[in-house]
Amino acid sequence: MGIKDQFQDKAEQLKAQTPQAREDVQEEVSDRRQQAQDKARQRGQQGQEQAQDAAQDARDRFED
């Protein structure tokens, strides 16, 4: 087997792996996007809860 054949075989092997690699990357990107959205949603909820708590504390102080 000559060097040219070896390079051709390697090129074909890599070409065959490309669709799976692309799918894996897309899945990872999707997972990371979902994690980021979940984290942002959680932070938003925490911020909203903190704002509600602060508003309740202010009302309580005002009523006293």
Side-chain angles (χ1 to χ4, degrees):
M1 181 182 259
I3 291 178
K4 182 179 177 183
D5 291 333
Q6 289 177 353
F7 278 108
Q8 243 177 347
D9 288 347
K10 186 63 175 179
E12 288 175 14
Q13 179 186 9
L14 292 172
K15 189 176 181 180
Q17 291 174 351
T18 299
Q20 182 62 46
R22 181 177 290 127
E23 186 178 316
D24 292 346
V25 168
Q26 288 174 340
E27 185 176 324
E28 183 175 342
V29 167
S30 178
D31 289 346
R32 287 184 181 195
R33 182 183 312 120
Q34 184 64 45
Q35 289 174 358
Q37 288 173 341
D38 291 347
K39 197 173 205 178
R41 190 176 304 113
Q42 184 180 24
R43 286 182 179 169
Q45 288 174 346
Q46 287 174 344
Q48 188 176 19
E49 289 172 4
Q50 288 173 348
Q52 288 173 348
D53 290 345
Q56 184 62 47
D57 288 346
R59 281 191 296 269
D60 291 346
R61 277 188 242 141
F62 182 73
E63 290 174 357
D64 285 344

